[in-house]
Amino acid sequence: MPELPEVEITARRIGAALAGATVESTLAPGINALKTFDPPLHALDGRTVEGAARRGKMLVVGFEGGLSLLVHLMSAGRLQLYDKRAGLRDRTSRVLVRLTDGRELRLREFGTKQAAWAKLLTAEGLEAEEVIRTLGPEAWPDPPPFAELLVAPRPLHTLLRDQRVIAGIGRSWVDEILWTARLSPFKRGDDLAPEEADALRSATIEVLGGALEHYEQTVTLPIPDKMPMPLRVHRKQGEACPRCGDQLEAVFYEDYVMTYCPTDQTDGRLLKDRRLSRLLK
Ligand SMILES: [Zn+2]
């Protein structure tokens, strides 16, 4: 599930490699992946690629003349640059941008769910786009003070993943950030002491920046299908906490898991397993 650090390294690597290349032709084999028709995808034909950038957890590939391909990878999408074109039978292909030098920028998606999408937008269209317009401040490198940001009476685990509140954090890095700040996932935003808000902001910058630094050392083109995520607690329930040595615990939701250290984060309390409580209702 690509979040801020994974999308940022993708934008950096692909942007640097693509800048100056010329589009030969385009194709959208995933009929549901391309969500716009005006301007049409083939408006890119013959244009130069200017680069790639990140907005929250989304990618923006820029083309000459102010056109942008906005890409949301969702949970299983990947944007990759290859030296050769995809075979027509590659069922993971969603949107293909073929370059005159033979390379191909490919939006792929793994699994059966078709959730990843792309939109071709003008400069004004991009800023007016709902998911861009409603995006909160970037979680990295310099988010505003968290005491101003996390004011809602909602659990931190939910608030930090709300892209309208703060942009870039998802299910993996939220566990790492809360563990680093020693805060309970269920503590409410409006219940944060000023020093806790500061600690959470520092942890956010440290964790996301640390992951990105790790990717700078390890990730090269083609972008790997599976990123070498330097996770310390997320999905490591049952293992020893890397800080205090006590056992990490988890709360299981329908399609994800929240991992935490009871000793460090919840005064030793075990959080209710939502699966079980639902079954008992
Ligand atoms: Zn611990």
Side-chain angles (χ1 to χ4, degrees):
M1 305 218 174
E3 300 175 29
L4 188 151
E6 293 76 39
V7 176
E8 176 70 25
I9 194 70
T10 301
R12 287 184 187 181
R13 293 287 183 265
I14 285 182
L18 272 184
T22 304
V23 177
E24 184 195 279
S25 60
T26 49
L27 209 65
I31 41 166
N32 298 315
L34 188 69
K35 298 283 186 201
T36 49
F37 55 91
D38 182 26
L41 189 60
H42 67 76
L44 293 180
D45 299 0
R47 285 184 201 252
T48 305
V49 187
E50 290 184 336
R54 178 191 59 80
R55 300 283 283 270
K57 295 191 277 188
M58 292 168 281
L59 283 151
V60 183
V61 184
F63 300 85
E64 70 169 309
L67 287 184
S68 292
L69 191 66
L70 174 65
V71 178
H72 199 314
L73 303 171
M74 301 303 286
S75 62
R78 301 290 182 268
L79 188 69
Q80 294 164 312
L81 179 63
Y82 293 97
D83 286 335
K84 285 192 203 133
R85 290 176 178 179
L88 287 175
R89 275 195 237 155
D90 184 351
R91 288 171 175 270
T92 63
S93 292
R94 296 290 180 267
V95 177
L96 311 175
V97 178
R98 294 165 164 177
L99 306 170
T100 53
D101 58 19
R103 292 183 298 167
E104 184 176 80
L105 179 66
R106 203 177 303 162
L107 171 60
R108 305 171 71 206
E109 189 172 27
F110 300 92
T112 49
K113 245 195 229 168
Q114 298 211 17
W117 55 256
K119 292 185 176 186
L120 185 62
L121 301 160
T122 60
E124 310 80 67
L126 178 66
E127 297 311 321
E129 184 61 33
E130 173 88 5
V131 285
I132 294 288
R133 202 168 41 80
T134 60
L135 213 53
E138 294 285 344
W140 174 93
D142 190 24
F146 276 19
E148 294 169 16
L149 222 54
L150 309 178
V151 289
R154 295 162 62 204
L156 294 175
H157 193 264
T158 315
L159 260 186
L160 288 172
R161 289 182 296 121
D162 186 339
Q163 301 305 297
R164 293 163 300 177
V165 174
I166 182 166
I169 303 169
R171 293 163 181 175
S172 300
W173 293 109
V174 71
D175 283 358
E176 304 289 316
I177 289 167
L178 289 168
W179 176 81
T180 301
R182 299 176 193 246
L183 287 169
S184 166
F186 288 142
K187 190 174 185 84
R188 286 163 25 164
D190 64 347
D191 209 17
L192 278 177
E195 61 275 13
E196 289 175 327
D198 289 346
L200 188 54
R201 181 179 178 276
S202 301
T204 301
I205 298 168
E206 179 193 325
V207 167
L208 298 176
L212 187 55
E213 236 166 75
H214 174 74
Y215 295 146
E216 275 291 358
Q217 307 300 322
T218 52
V219 174
T220 53
L221 290 175
I223 300 289
D225 294 343
K226 220 174 152 49
M227 286 277 186
M229 295 175 80
L231 297 168
R232 303 181 72 192
V233 292
H234 180 66
R235 289 194 167 276
K236 297 192 190 292
Q237 57 274 11
E239 295 181 23
C241 168
R243 190 166 47 208
C244 72
D246 289 345
Q247 187 174 295
L248 296 171
E249 298 289 342
V251 180
F252 292 87
Y253 293 86
E254 209 159 313
D255 54 355
Y256 70 104
V257 56
M258 181 183 84
T259 316
Y260 66 102
C261 172
T263 309
D264 288 332
Q265 294 174 258
T266 60
D267 298 322
R269 268 177 302 124
L270 290 184
L271 303 175
K272 222 186 260 172
D273 190 323
R274 296 301 156 112
R275 276 183 315 189
L276 201 60
S277 20
R278 203 176 46 239
L279 287 176
L280 294 176
K281 252 179 212 168

